[in-house]
């Protein structure tokens, strides 16, 4: 592993033939920092000289260098995440996609996603990005309960996320996702079900639901440490997951990954690429990429990112070369989380023996030549993986 604060050059890389190739673009801008968030984001006061236009200019330079480095493979997916990509507005998001097309070829059926904060969207925004070629929108809902939003320091009003989802659908987006968080201190079962039901009623075809994680260094962690808020309880989190799963399943949204549910055809293909062995270039401050057997991560601050590219260097902070054991571990870790399950042939003899014990415990079930998590197994997915790997 190589770790440095200044940019380093990547080794020669060859994309694996036959695997999907995606592009992730990280937009580092946020108006405020939510109390639970530890993503690589920056408020205006933290940015210094880098504004969205300067960031976009630097991004163009990285895309040009990326296309040359990996021989510009055809992109099956593009995902613009953050941060708050919708703060760029429709025109800049269209310009961003034009820059991608300038250096890469998009597959005819490419999935092109942007994340968005409900408060920085409006009908004209959705119409503009749909016309630009975006095919999917992922909206941060988190909750519709005001007290839960307050604890999370979310700025959007309780009804805005549902309204934004309807606006995206009205603009012609077939694929719209809403993201929920469960287990926030002070949240009740009714608060959670209110949020899930609201998401269902919008008519979106995808819902993600994540247990609240108290990340070190966040405002939420400080409040928990000071005794102001209770830490999330594992038993409560498991119960809330079961509530989410039952409600979404009854509404016709089936799980396809432990934390993701969709209607038929609504899967996020970009994220499936992460879980199912695909490759991607990560562009933008702090973005991670993975090509061949090389994983790397960019410098975090937008200023350092722009400076590296202005100097003609890829903005890479560090990289690692994954050996056979590391690749196997990741294969088991990620594919076990998918509804399609893990191919038994992926496991060695000792791992298959341990898998039989997990099946006996009711955490995995055999479907043909694959091992699939049961409902109880999904609650203990990390433990299942640890057992399989020994």
């Amino acid at each position: 592993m190589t770790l440095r604060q200044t940019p380093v050059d990547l080794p020669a890389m060859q994309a694996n033939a036959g695997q999907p190739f995606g592009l992730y673009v990280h937009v580092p801008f946020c108006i405020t920092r939510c109390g639970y968030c530890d993503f690589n984001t920056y408020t205006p006061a933290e940015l210094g000289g880098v504004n969205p236009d300067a960031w976009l200019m630097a991004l163009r330079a990285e895309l040009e260098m990326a296309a040359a480095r990996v021989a510009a493979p055809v992109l099956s997916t593009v995902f613009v995440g953050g941060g708050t990509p919708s703060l760029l507005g429709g025109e800049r998001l269209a310009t961003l996609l034009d820059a991608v097309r300038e250096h890469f070829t998009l597959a005819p059926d490419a999935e092109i996603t942007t994340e968005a904060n409900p408060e920085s969207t409006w009908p004209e925004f959705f119409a503009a990005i749909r016309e630009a070629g975006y095919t999917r929108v992922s909206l941060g809902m988190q909750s519709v309960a005001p007290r839960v939003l307050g604890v999370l320091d979310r700025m959007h009003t309780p009804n805005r996320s549902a309204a934004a989802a309807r606006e995206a659908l009205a603009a012609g987006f077939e694929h719209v996702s809403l993201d929920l968080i469960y287990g926030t201190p002070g949240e009740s079962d009714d608060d959670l079900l209110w949020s899930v039901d609201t998401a269902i009623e919008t008519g979106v075809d995808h819902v993600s639901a994540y247990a609240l994680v108290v990340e070190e260094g966040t405002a939420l962690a400080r409040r928990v440490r000071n005794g102001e808020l209770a830490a999330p309880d594992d038993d409560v989190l498991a119960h809330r997951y079961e509530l989410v799963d039952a409600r979404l399943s009854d509404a016709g949204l089936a799980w396809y990954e432990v934390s993701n549910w969709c209607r038929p055809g609504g899967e996020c293909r970009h994220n499936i690429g992460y879980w199912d062995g695909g490759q991607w270039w990560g562009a933008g401050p702090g973005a991670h990429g993975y090509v061949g057997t090389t994983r790397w991560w960019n410098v975090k601050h937008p200023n350092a990112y722009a400076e590296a590219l202005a100097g003609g260097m890829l903005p890479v902070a560090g990289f690692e070369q994954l050996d056979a054991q590391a690749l196997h571990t990741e294969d088991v870790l990620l594919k076990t989380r998918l509804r399609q399950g893990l191919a038994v042939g992926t496991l060695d003899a000792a791992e298959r023996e341990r898998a039989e014990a997990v099946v006996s415990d009711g955490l995995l079930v055999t479907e043909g030549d694959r091992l699939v998590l049961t409902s109880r197994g999904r609650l203990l997915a990390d433990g299942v993986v640890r057992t399989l790997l020994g």
Side-chain angles (χ1 to χ4, degrees):
M1 182 183 297
T2 303
L3 287 170
R4 303 183 190 176
Q5 295 299 309
T6 54
V8 299
D9 195 20
L10 286 173
M13 299 181 300
Q14 179 64 50
N16 297 328
Q19 291 183 337
F21 198 99
L23 172 69
Y24 172 77
V25 177
H26 186 72
V27 180
F29 309 116
C30 282
I31 293 296
T32 62
R33 189 182 306 283
C34 298
Y36 63 92
C37 180
D38 72 336
F39 293 168
N40 187 47
T41 62
Y42 300 85
T43 63
E46 299 168 326
L47 279 172
V50 175
N51 58 36
D53 291 319
W55 166 84
L56 192 53
M57 183 181 301
L59 178 69
R60 283 181 178 277
E62 184 181 6
L63 293 177
E64 181 178 2
M65 296 174 74
R69 180 59 66 97
V70 292
V74 175
L75 297 179
S76 56
T77 62
V78 177
F79 194 105
V80 182
T84 311
S86 49
L87 285 178
L88 296 176
E91 184 175 344
R92 285 197 188 96
L93 281 173
T95 299
L96 185 161
L97 193 51
D98 286 341
V100 172
R101 292 191 182 103
E102 182 180 346
H103 299 292
F104 290 87
T105 299
L106 296 178
D109 65 343
E111 174 193 85
I112 305 172
T113 304
T114 185
E115 293 182 333
N117 185 313
E119 288 295 335
S120 54
T121 63
W122 55 96
E124 293 79 10
F125 167 84
F126 291 117
I129 63 172
R130 184 70 190 94
E131 182 178 356
Y134 288 84
T135 67
R136 190 172 180 278
V137 174
S138 180
L139 291 157
M141 179 184 235
Q142 276 55 345
S143 176
V144 296
R147 60 180 172 178
V148 174
L149 293 173
V151 172
L152 295 175
D153 294 326
R154 292 292 292 185
M155 294 188 65
H156 66 76
T157 55
N159 295 326
R160 177 58 202 153
S161 51
R166 293 189 178 97
E167 290 167 3
L169 291 168
F173 281 95
E174 293 182 19
H175 304 301
V176 179
S177 179
L178 287 167
D179 292 352
L180 300 174
I181 289 178
Y182 60 90
T184 301
E187 176 193 65
S188 67
D189 287 356
D190 287 342
D191 289 333
L192 177 60
L193 291 175
W194 179 16
S195 299
V196 176
D197 289 343
T198 300
I200 292 168
E201 289 165 4
T202 64
V204 299
D205 68 342
H206 190 286
V207 174
S208 300
Y210 302 103
L212 179 67
V213 177
V214 180
E215 302 285 0
E216 283 301 319
T218 63
L220 180 63
R222 290 190 291 274
R223 296 178 71 186
V224 170
R225 187 169 55 249
N226 294 337
E228 182 182 344
L229 296 172
D233 178 88
D234 287 343
D235 290 337
V236 171
L237 292 177
H239 172 62
R240 297 272 163 78
Y241 180 89
E242 291 174 329
L243 290 178
V244 171
D245 183 52
R247 205 68 143 209
L248 291 175
S249 297
D250 288 346
L253 288 94
W255 79 281
Y256 71 96
E257 191 275 341
V258 169
S259 299
N260 291 271
W261 293 257
C262 71
R263 302 188 191 280
E267 297 88 350
C268 177
R269 288 165 47 203
H270 185 85
N271 285 343
I272 288 177
Y274 294 152
W275 300 316
D276 200 28
Q279 303 168 97
W280 68 95
W281 188 280
H288 287 58
Y290 172 61
V291 175
T293 60
T294 303
R295 179 192 289 121
W296 73 93
W297 45 95
N298 282 349
V299 295
K300 286 190 170 183
H301 200 282
N303 288 336
Y305 172 77
E307 288 169 4
L309 288 158
M313 295 184 66
L314 281 170
V316 176
F319 66 88
E320 60 182 337
Q321 300 281 64
L322 302 183
D323 60 19
Q325 184 57 50
L327 290 169
H328 175 71
T329 296
E330 293 209 348
D331 214 25
V332 174
L333 171 66
L334 296 173
K335 291 183 178 178
T336 299
R337 296 180 62 87
L338 292 170
R339 175 62 184 85
Q340 69 189 40
L342 175 72
V344 175
T346 303
L347 304 176
D348 63 28
E351 290 166 343
R352 287 197 294 272
E353 187 172 330
R354 289 192 289 269
E356 291 177 3
V358 179
V359 171
S360 297
D361 288 340
L363 303 180
L364 285 173
V365 63
T366 303
E367 295 186 1
D369 65 347
R370 309 189 78 84
L371 295 166
V372 178
L373 290 168
T374 63
S375 295
R376 191 162 70 89
R378 279 187 275 156
L379 297 174
L380 302 167
D382 291 344
V384 169
V385 169
R386 287 194 296 270
T387 299
L388 293 176
L389 293 171

